[in-house]
Amino acid sequence: MLYGTLFIVCIYYILPLWVMVMTSLKGMPEIRVGNIFAPPVEITFEPWVKAWSEACTGLNCDGLSRGFWNSVRILVPSVILSIAVASVNGYALVNWRFKGADVFFTILIFGSFIPYQVMLYPIVILLREMGIYGTLSGLVLVHTIFGMPILTLLFRNYFSSLPEELFKAARVDGAGFWAIYFRIMLPMSMPIFVVAVILQVTGIWNDFLFGVVFTKPDIYPMTVQLNNIVNSVQGVKEYNVNMAATLLTGLVPLTIYFISGKLFVRGIAAGAVKG
Amino acid sequence: MHSISVKELTLNFGAVSVLKDLNLDVAEGEFIVLLGPSGCGKSTLLNCLAGLLDITDGEIWIKGKNVTWAEPSERGIGMVFQSYALYPQMTVRGNLSFGLKNARMPQAEIDKRVARAAEILQIGPLLDRKPGALSGGQRQRVAIGRALVRDVDVFLFDEPLSNLDAKLRSELRVEIKRLHSRLNNTMVYVTHDQIEALTLADRIAVMRGGIIQQLDAPQVIYNRPANLFVAGFIGSPAMNFLHGATVDGGRRFEAGGIGLSLEGYEGGAVGARPEVVLGLRPEHLEIVPGAEEGRTIPAVVELDEPMGADSLVWLKAGGAQMSVRVPVERRMARGAAVHLRVDMTKASLFDAATEQRI
Ligand SMILES: Nc1ncnc2c1ncn2[C@@H]1O[C@H](COP(=O)(O)OP(=O)(O)OP(=O)(O)O)[C@@H](O)[C@H]1O
Ligand SMILES: [Mg+2]
């Protein structure tokens, strides 16, 4: 009974994926024949190649690859910057209790409740004033800021679960703000850093709204470009190319889950046995 | 010159006042134990000394220097924590040398000091292990070693033994005492274990509610408690209390039909007072078969409790429950009517209203 239910749920999740993979491996004539569940008679990787390097959006016909590299260039600095800032924030909030720490934290958490949509236009103006509207650095900044509340909360909670006496001992040992952060806190916090990376990579990679609003066509991230490819109105709909493009876009978060998931579990387990 | 001098120290957490106008002078080489119930501010006081908490008011002097606002590492103190607080990712050697490296000490000197600490604490073979691979007792040695390598004059201990089992605790207790006599530095040691306090201390500071109730040598604290709180807190089983009055110009104590002569009481003439509390330790009472005028209390045995070396007899006397320590061979029948002879020279008398010793 239990397995039956699980089986049905699995089918429910797997089926669309199955359809997508199959379709992406078929040629257009075979697709027109109809049966979307059937495996391809003749496997072709043509659609994948086309999606990656030839599909057109607007005037550019160099495929998703452009979007992919844009996304990478957005992703890497955003993830590093947001996690670096948020972890230092969390650490300072827990251990150094500077004046106004509580106020700072309240504002930060409150900030996370304001709907994105309300902030879009003010941020556009802000970025324009700073002269980085429509640039990659502008988008990186936006991602860093919007990741701040949840990440800071994450790190704050983790750091406050570490024994306070360790911090005190390090202070008696003459370690300062950064020495304690790098030498004592960081080495004990790998699991939470992995969690933060997963969160940020998937969040930023899948972002569409900020990408559309804060960048220009040349530097659109992959998601935006995917949308433009799939929704382009000229010519016939090339379902196989669209499916391949979609799968390509989804590949990055998927890989992250697989790689870091293992690390993550290992990190948690390692934390549990330390005496 | 005092090794540590705390002047009118006040510490508030928001609206809560944890330490109030606290004064404490510690002589050089002295072993001071801070003793008191949970939440009385012992750890808070220690953290203030270490510079881990910003104080609200007052001054702290260490070795003749005003360190009230100095960084913990600049105060010339070493600290040992209850949870050991060893850095989990570093080896024992790394733990010991972390502070020295922060002070940019030459490697040769670091090695020398680590070797010396390892020799004193017998942790040489453990130097390349991580804390996770050590037993509780070994971890606490390493934690002590971390204070030792700093080569400081003042050691602060915050309940260093309370996470250990009874056997290890008594072993390490002896070791700490030995360490003190070898290094002869000043120690401030927090505990709520009376045995630790009584065995280790040169002087004990008994605290309650952020105030030092009495600061004195262990024998004085034990034999001549300054007030009812100290009397009740120190000693296990607790001191017996009889509520009554002094009459006859202060020559007699009367309570619920009992009359005791106060002759021999070390406080001297106490005067007539309507409400006093007489405190008698279980070992200062003796069970005797017959009454003696003015020296005994009639009592009925309720229970006897053998405790290994001796045994504890619980009795009903003068309307109160009392305990008496007797040799373990001496079994008492339940319900037996006996008399308790009081050694008035060792008794304590308190004013019931002010709770102070008379
Ligand atoms: N950060 C803090 N904020 C507010 N109150 C605190 C804080 N730290 C301690 N207190 C309060 O100060 C009082 C003294 O605490 P402290 O830790 O010094 O007690 P203690 O004597 O060491 O007790 P224990 O034997 O349980 O360790 C307690 O009532 C505690 O609730
Ligand atoms: Mg404490």
Side-chain angles (χ1 to χ4, degrees):
Chain A
M1 178 56 209
L2 179 65
Y3 287 109
T5 317
L6 279 177
F7 184 71
I8 292 172
V9 172
C10 277
I11 292 287
Y12 187 78
Y13 277 104
I14 291 285
L15 215 54
L17 191 65
W18 168 261
V19 171
M20 286 178 71
V21 174
M22 289 314 130
T23 310
S24 73
L25 294 175
K26 292 174 187 172
M28 276 317 279
E30 205 179 318
I31 289 175
R32 275 190 217 93
V33 171
N35 190 352
I36 58 168
F37 296 108
V41 181
E42 208 179 318
I43 295 180
T44 164
F45 290 101
E46 183 90 4
W48 286 76
V49 176
K50 189 164 181 200
W52 177 252
S53 55
E54 288 162 30
C56 296
T57 51
L59 298 177
N60 300 322
C61 278
D62 41 11
L64 265 180
S65 58
R66 168 199 294 275
F68 174 82
W69 290 117
N70 284 341
S71 275
V72 169
R73 273 153 63 205
I74 295 163
L75 185 73
V76 173
S78 302
V79 170
I80 294 176
L81 198 64
S82 59
I83 290 180
V85 176
S87 61
V88 173
N89 269 351
Y91 158 66
L93 278 170
V94 171
N95 288 315
W96 293 87
R97 320 223 96 256
F98 51 91
K99 269 204 194 70
D102 291 333
V103 178
F104 176 77
F105 187 61
T106 314
I107 291 176
L108 203 61
I109 295 309
F110 199 73
S112 63
F113 290 118
I114 301 175
Y116 289 175
Q117 292 78 353
V118 178
M119 320 244 288
L120 278 184
Y121 189 56
I123 290 184
V124 168
I125 295 175
L126 207 70
L127 290 185
R128 203 177 53 209
E129 290 303 308
M130 291 166 70
I132 49 173
Y133 175 63
T135 65
L136 282 181
S137 18
L139 186 56
V140 168
L141 188 68
V142 170
H143 277 309
T144 305
I145 292 171
F146 277 93
M148 217 34 52
I150 182 72
L151 286 183
T152 303
L153 186 67
L154 193 75
F155 280 107
R156 193 194 84 117
N157 288 352
Y158 185 82
F159 285 136
S160 61
S161 75
L162 296 178
E164 196 194 358
E165 290 193 339
L166 266 177
F167 170 77
K168 290 182 174 174
R171 291 248 297 164
V172 173
D173 269 338
F177 186 92
W178 294 111
I180 296 179
Y181 176 75
F182 283 113
R183 305 281 309 280
I184 310 293
M185 295 299 172
L186 266 194
M188 291 199 296
S189 313
M190 278 311 127
I192 203 68
F193 274 90
V194 173
V195 172
V197 168
I198 296 179
L199 224 86
Q200 283 301 84
V201 167
T202 50
I204 294 174
W205 190 270
N206 291 335
D207 161 68
F208 180 82
L209 181 62
F210 293 160
V212 176
V213 175
F214 295 111
T215 54
K216 299 196 191 90
D218 265 1
I219 51 172
Y220 272 158
M222 202 170 184
T223 44
V224 178
Q225 212 188 3
L226 170 69
N227 171 70
N228 293 354
I229 289 176
V230 174
N231 288 341
S232 69
V233 282
Q234 299 108 318
V236 278
K237 284 242 182 244
E238 295 179 292
Y239 290 109
N240 50 358
V241 175
N242 292 351
M243 295 297 175
T246 310
L247 286 170
L248 276 173
T249 311
L251 230 45
V252 168
L254 219 60
T255 326
I256 287 286
Y257 278 131
F258 280 129
I259 299 174
S260 55
K262 221 179 218 160
L263 267 179
F264 178 57
V265 172
R266 206 183 303 156
I268 295 269
V273 293
K274 92 158 189 273
Chain B
M1 184 178 66
H2 292 297
S3 180
I4 302 173
S5 187
V6 176
K7 296 174 182 167
E8 270 144 39
L9 172 64
T10 299
L11 184 120
N12 303 333
F13 283 120
V16 191
S17 173
V18 176
L19 299 175
K20 297 157 194 123
D21 266 339
L22 190 139
N23 288 291
L24 175 68
D25 288 324
V26 183
E28 215 152 311
E30 196 175 18
F31 200 127
I32 290 275
V33 170
L34 305 178
L35 181 64
S38 197
C40 70
K42 310 179 294 286
S43 299
T44 306
L45 174 55
L46 207 66
N47 282 325
C48 288
L49 292 179
L52 295 167
L53 281 173
D54 287 341
I55 68 174
T56 311
D57 202 8
E59 284 179 7
I60 296 171
W61 295 65
I62 292 176
K63 288 237 124 194
K65 267 199 324 196
N66 185 344
V67 295
T68 312
W69 299 108
E71 281 293 307
S73 54
E74 293 161 2
R75 297 188 174 206
I77 52 127
M79 191 156 175
V80 179
F81 297 89
Q82 176 174 2
S83 67
Y84 321 129
L86 300 178
Y87 313 123
Q89 73 282 5
M90 300 182 196
T91 60
V92 169
R93 188 189 304 280
N95 269 278
L96 294 181
S97 52
F98 183 63
L100 306 181
K101 286 202 175 117
N102 286 328
R104 306 198 189 289
M105 187 175 284
Q107 189 61 42
E109 175 68 16
I110 294 180
D111 291 341
K112 212 175 83 193
R113 290 200 187 183
V114 169
R116 174 168 172 269
E119 187 259 311
I120 293 178
L121 295 164
Q122 293 153 18
I123 50 175
L126 312 176
L127 280 179
D128 293 312
R129 288 204 211 161
K130 295 262 175 80
L134 302 179
S135 72
Q138 291 170 331
R139 283 181 208 179
Q140 197 52 285
R141 272 170 221 265
V142 176
I144 294 173
R146 200 166 49 182
L148 206 62
V149 290
R150 293 174 59 76
D151 214 359
V152 287
D153 302 306
V154 176
F155 274 18
L156 307 175
F157 290 87
D158 193 354
E159 307 203 23
L161 307 185
S162 58
N163 280 356
L164 302 174
D165 61 54
K167 186 165 175 293
L168 257 177
R169 200 180 311 169
S170 53
E171 269 174 40
L172 268 164
R173 196 173 67 214
V174 174
E175 201 153 321
I176 289 177
K177 188 149 193 170
R178 199 176 293 142
L179 190 70
H180 179 235
S181 62
R182 170 165 179 178
L183 303 175
N184 211 24
N185 48 6
T186 309
M187 304 223 175
V188 182
Y189 186 106
V190 168
T191 182
H192 53 237
D193 183 321
Q194 303 184 22
I195 309 293
E196 265 170 46
L198 294 167
T199 52
L200 289 172
D202 291 325
R203 284 193 299 161
I204 298 176
V206 182
M207 292 180 68
R208 176 172 65 160
I211 295 169
I212 294 182
Q213 304 283 316
Q214 187 174 8
L215 172 63
D216 237 317
Q219 310 79 357
V220 180
I221 298 262
Y222 190 81
N223 293 323
R224 303 189 51 200
N227 58 38
L228 266 179
F229 170 76
V230 176
F233 187 74
I234 303 281
S236 166
M239 190 181 256
N240 300 300
F241 292 120
L242 287 172
H243 293 259
T246 53
V247 295
D248 233 358
R251 282 196 293 276
R252 277 172 64 78
F253 170 85
E254 279 191 3
I258 306 168
L260 285 171
S261 161
L262 285 174
E263 202 187 314
Y265 178 64
E266 54 82 39
V270 295
R273 294 168 191 249
E275 283 188 50
V276 298
V277 179
L278 180 66
L280 302 163
R281 292 222 178 265
E283 59 271 33
H284 298 153
L285 290 168
E286 194 185 344
I287 298 179
V288 292
E292 297 166 33
E293 169 55 27
R295 298 186 60 193
T296 58
I297 310 169
V300 177
V301 176
E302 289 199 316
L303 191 75
D304 84 340
E305 220 182 354
M307 305 208 303
D310 46 19
S311 120
L312 206 63
V313 181
W314 292 89
L315 314 99
K316 199 105 189 150
Q321 172 125 121
M322 300 187 57
S323 60
V324 178
R325 209 186 279 275
V326 299
V328 75
E329 314 78 58
R330 182 152 181 201
R331 307 308 306 268
M332 303 295 302
R334 187 159 181 268
V338 295
H339 297 269
L340 302 178
R341 185 196 287 147
V342 175
D343 183 353
M344 197 50 80
T345 59
K346 294 190 170 141
S348 297
L349 205 52
F350 304 96
D351 186 309
T354 64
E355 301 199 343
Q356 296 302 310
R357 184 185 187 86
I358 302 169

